[in-house]
Structure formats: C-alpha cells, structure tokens
Amino acid sequence: MKVALAQIDPTVGDFEGNTAKILDFTRRAHQGGADLVLFPELAICGYPPADLLEKPAFVERCAEALREIARATAQDKIGVITGYVTAAPPGTGKHVMNSAALLRDGRVQFVQSKMLLPFYDVFDEQRYFVPAQGQTIREFDGRPVALTICEDAWNDKSFWENRLYPVDPVEELMKKGATAILNISASPWWHNKRELRREMLAAIARRHGAPVVMVNQVGGNDSLVFDGSSLVVGADGRVMAQAKSFEEDLVFADLESRTGDVRVRTGDEDDAMLEALTLGTRDYVRKCGFRQVVIGLSGGIDSALVAAIAVRALGAENVTTLGMPSPYSSQGSIDDSRALAANLGIRFEVVPIGSIFSEFNHALEPVLAGTQPDITEENLQSRIRGTLLMAFSNKFNALVLTTGNKSEMATGYCTLYGDMVGALAVIGDVFKTRVYDLCRRINAEREVIPRAILEKPPSAELRPGQMDTDSLLPYESLDPILEAYVERYETPEKIAAECGVDLETVRSVVKMVERSEYKRQQAAPVLKVTPKAFGMGRRFPIAAKVQV
C-alpha cells in the first residue's frame, strides 16, 4: 500500500479554502500513485475551532464540505482520510464528535471518532466533544488498519511513565488484528516537541511490530504553531518517510517496500524556534485578513528581534517601524534603530514624544501636585507610544506587533496600554536570554541586528540612567528562576537549591510573577514555543492570595 501524507495549513472556519486544499493535495497524491492519502485532524474546519463548534451551522457546513470532497474525488482510484466534525448521538450531553472519515468511490465508507480527549495545557476538547465509546479496525485494499486521531496514540504504556487515560486505543485496535497504524493529528510545536513525537511513534511501532503513519497539521492558528513534521515509521522504529517542518508538504511512503520520501532537517532548536515564530506571525497576520504590520523600535534587542521575524514572515515591504524617542532616549538608540531598519530594508519613521509627554504632565499637574516623579511618569511615556502605534495601525490598516519577552511578561516589567499594546506578542514566550541566542542566529551569515544592540545593557530608557537591573536580577540569573517557576511549577525552596540563589531572592521573583497576573490576562495573544506559555494554556485567578 502506497500512502501519501498531505500536510496542509488549514484556516479555522474557511471551509471553501480548506476544501480546495484537500482536493488539490488529493489530486497530487493520486498523480503520484498513492492508494491512500491522509489529511490532518479536523482538516476540513481547521484546528482548534473552539466555541465555533457550538454553532449548528458550523457543524453542518463541515458535513457539507465532506460530501463535496467525496463527490469531487469519486472518479479517483484513491482513498481519502480526513478529519472533520460529526454530530454527537442524542442524549450524550454535547453536540459534536472529533472524527476521521474514509472517503472512496464518492461516499463515506468509514468513520472513526476520537476516544481520548485532551484537557490539559492548551487543549480543552472535553468541553466540546463526546468521546468514542469504542473503535473498529477497517480493511483497506485487504489490509486491516487502525485509524486513530492524535491523542489516541499518546497513551502507550511502554513509553509514558504516567499515563493520563486508563485505555490505549492503539493497543485495543492492534489486538483486533490491525497491521498498520494510521494517525491524523493536530499536534502543536514547542521546544523539543519533534524529537519527543518521533521517539513516541517509534516506540509504538516497535511494540506492535507495525508501521505507524502520522500526518500532522502545519501552520499558525492564533497562539498555536503546528510544525507538520509528518512521519512514517517502520515496524523497526526507523523513519521511512518524513515531511518538512513549518511548511506545507506532500510525501509518499510504500508500506510494502518500506521506502519513502525523507525531507532532511537542518538546523537546531534555535533555528526551529525562529521558523515557528516566523510561521506563527505570518499566519496570524494573513489569517486575520491583514498584510501590513507596525512595530515600535526602541533601539533594544527585543524590538530588533521582532522586526527581523516580521521581515522573514511578511517581507520588508510590509513592515513599518516607528522610533518614538522621549527626553530620556539616547541618541545611540535612535541611531541603532535606524541602522537596523536599513539592514532589514524596512521603513523607519521618527515620531518624538517629548512635547506630548510635556503636555500630559502639564495636564496632570493639578491632580498630582505635591508628588514626586516616579513610575507614573515613566509609564506615561510607554502609553504615549502605545497610542501612537495604534493611531498608525488605524490609519494604515497595519497590525501592531508587541515586543515584550517572556521574562518581562512573567515579572510584570511591562506597561499595560503601553508597550503591551498590540495584536500579537511575537516573543512573549521567549525568555530574554533566549532572545540573545535567536538574534545571534539571525546574524550568523551577516550582521542584520547591529552589534551595538547586542552589546548594550538592557534599558527601558524611561528615566535618566535607567537599567533593567535596577528592577530585576540580571537575566542570566532571573531566567532560570522564571523557567522553573512558570513552566515547571517548582517551589521557591527547590528553585533556590537548584539555582544556587538565596531563598528570599527567589521569593521576591515569585511575588513579581504572582502580582502581574492581571497584566498577562490583558495581553495580546502569545505565540507558544515552550511547554508552558502565558495564555490559554496557563490559567490562574487574578484575585488570589498566593503563599510564596
């Protein structure tokens, strides 16, 4: 049996566009001699559709699209497996099921629904779907196969030390006589996820002595970035076929001869993170119906990285940057911003905010009389800049990309309605120390980000001589504490012991994290590139008293 893995980038709710992709890739798979072509989980409606699943019209449109695909491929001698939404049986308490359909000869020949519904981190499938009560093997051209959907393959007892579910759908199907495992997925990417996925699928293949065919969605949908990286793994755990990462692809594999297309991966996890951030930015802007973006350039490393990613994602012609110097901005920061813009080939405009800042202070004089300048006046500068960025956004239909990193978002070292203004937090899941790594990677072939930006001490430049270290630990010390507390939920005591830092210092960092939850819940969507990102996968109350 020759299979094709159609790794597509669907848009949530774009039934017409997604259907066109499915038909195009099916045609190409047929021309390539495939007997069967597989598309990702919920490929027809896009993943994750969230509360759109509550709309009956959405579910019906999904069914109509499936019927259209069946009709359009009726004359092709190829089977099509695609993910879609089916109506749930009456009396189950929910409206829909997450399903996979096998189409052939113009009709739906087989439907298998998802049994294991993830409910951790960014996943909330138990909110919407009814789980399948059982699963059935299906013969395809005389070969019994196990058809599974994403999470159904993530519960192998020989691989996971702590399983989330009491049942393993793959094991149950293999006991019924299946000789190949097919899995359609929408598995998001984060740091080191590709290696974990490959090792897990190889373990399943070796345990059951059967090939595993996994097709994964690619593309960005809101905060999530899907890497694709679809795989066919032989019964011995060897990779037989492998699709590209972070772009659409079509690869073939012959399960009998155990041969297939292998797209060689280059680069390391820093390269992968840059690719993920680029793809997530491109798809967010494009799928929201925009072409242009605007970024505030401060002369610092964070805005430099965001600008470089934006150019990679959208092209220099679609990126505008604004330098908005205040009375405390150094000439070096303006010059560095101008040099960066020249290196990237992007538009750079200078809009000084000194006079606006003076007018704000003058207007506030009566109500602030008798007080000394403090963080209030510092934040005013940031909020003026946010207002100017939004004015440009409104006038020229350009999305604002925020430039704050994960270290700042974690500690609250950011200003609501100021530097947090925007439509997408491109590097909101990248710690400051990793920002430097990514910038050096961008500079590997030529100096894109000026050396002065990489070498200067981090500063918001909101008061004379200000440095980030006035308010924070040096990032080399801060980031390991934040990673342990934010991503692994470790206690201050354990963090202090692991990092070799005084316990009270750790507790002071933890208090900053806890006090800033109200800011993060008003932040722009964050592109998720680590196992635990701020946003929908990390949910904490705002009004709470946390013991640290």
Side-chain angles (χ1 to χ4, degrees), residues 83-391:
Y84 76 120
V85 178
T86 56
T92 54
K94 295 187 176 69
H95 301 294
V96 291
M97 300 181 79
N98 183 340
S99 303
L102 168 61
L103 310 178
R104 205 174 195 186
D105 300 326
R107 62 188 182 88
V108 179
Q109 292 193 349
F110 179 67
V111 175
Q112 179 69 70
S113 294
K114 191 172 185 176
M115 179 173 281
L116 306 184
L117 303 178
F119 57 96
Y120 52 86
D121 194 52
V122 298
F123 304 105
D124 201 10
E125 293 195 20
Q126 291 189 12
R127 174 184 173 96
Y128 305 106
F129 297 115
V130 175
Q133 296 304 303
Q135 295 192 317
T136 307
I137 62 171
R138 170 71 185 188
E139 282 203 1
F140 184 86
D141 287 350
R143 181 169 193 156
V145 298
L147 177 55
T148 61
I149 303 174
C150 204
E151 190 84 352
D152 290 341
W154 286 72
N155 201 43
D156 181 64
K157 61 186 177 186
S158 66
F159 186 81
W160 300 104
E161 183 177 349
N162 298 307
R163 298 197 303 162
L164 295 179
Y165 314 91
V167 63
D168 178 0
V170 172
E171 181 179 58
E172 296 300 314
L173 286 166
M174 296 308 290
K175 286 179 179 179
K176 295 178 181 179
T179 60
I181 301 160
L182 309 180
N183 183 265
I184 65 171
S185 285
S187 175
W189 182 87
W190 51 76
H191 184 57
N192 289 326
K193 180 74 172 288
R194 290 181 299 180
E195 187 65 20
L196 171 67
R197 198 189 292 129
R198 185 197 63 76
E199 291 175 356
M200 180 196 71
L201 295 175
I204 293 172
R206 287 192 296 265
R207 180 186 173 206
H208 296 291
V212 178
V213 180
M214 187 279 297
V215 63
N216 190 31
Q217 177 173 296
V218 71
N221 279 328
D222 292 354
S223 294
L224 301 183
V225 181
F226 300 86
D227 59 299
S229 308
S230 302
L231 291 169
V232 179
V233 180
D236 58 358
R238 181 180 62 87
V239 173
M240 292 166 42
Q242 179 174 278
K244 297 175 183 178
S245 294
F246 306 110
E247 59 182 288
E248 291 188 325
D249 202 6
L250 179 69
V251 295
F252 296 85
D254 192 313
L255 300 187
E256 306 308 322
S257 65
R258 290 180 288 182
T259 59
D261 303 321
V262 177
R263 315 291 196 223
V264 178
R265 294 178 188 154
T266 58
D268 58 14
E269 285 300 293
D270 279 346
D271 289 310
M273 185 170 285
L274 281 172
E275 291 293 331
L277 294 171
T278 299
L279 176 59
T281 301
R282 179 188 302 123
D283 270 5
Y284 186 89
V285 173
R286 178 177 59 86
K287 291 179 180 182
C288 288
F290 291 82
R291 292 176 52 250
Q292 305 278 330
V293 296
V294 59
I295 302 162
L297 278 194
S298 66
I301 195 166
D302 298 318
S303 59
L305 177 58
V306 172
I309 290 170
V311 169
R312 290 163 62 108
L314 305 166
E317 70 278 8
N318 292 313
V319 179
T320 298
T321 55
L322 301 184
M324 296 166 283
S326 78
Y328 308 116
S329 299
S330 66
Q331 184 61 44
S333 292
I334 301 171
D335 293 341
D336 293 341
S337 296
R338 184 173 284 110
L340 171 71
N343 290 349
L344 291 171
I346 58 179
R347 178 184 173 192
F348 177 61
E349 300 289 347
V350 177
V351 185
I353 67 168
S355 60
I356 305 173
F357 183 44
S358 295
E359 287 298 323
F360 265 72
N361 286 323
H362 178 69
L364 288 168
E365 276 180 6
V367 293
L368 300 184
T371 65
Q372 294 298 312
D374 56 14
I375 194 173
T376 306
E377 286 76 14
E378 293 178 23
N379 287 342
L380 265 180
Q381 298 164 70
S382 181
R383 289 176 175 132
I384 291 167
R385 291 175 176 136
T387 299
L388 295 176
L389 285 169
M390 288 308 302

Side-chain angles (χ1 to χ4, degrees), residues 407-408 413 432-433 458 468 472-480:
S407 306
E408 294 169 344
Y413 193 64
K432 184 77 167 192
T433 47
D468 286 8
L472 303 172
L473 290 174
Y475 288 107
E476 293 77 9
S477 301
L478 177 65
D479 285 354

Side-chain angles (χ1 to χ4, degrees), residues 448-464:
V448 175
I449 298 171
R451 179 179 296 180
I453 291 179
L454 282 163
E455 294 179 349
K456 71 173 67 174
S459 171
E461 294 189 328
L462 297 176
R463 66 174 182 266

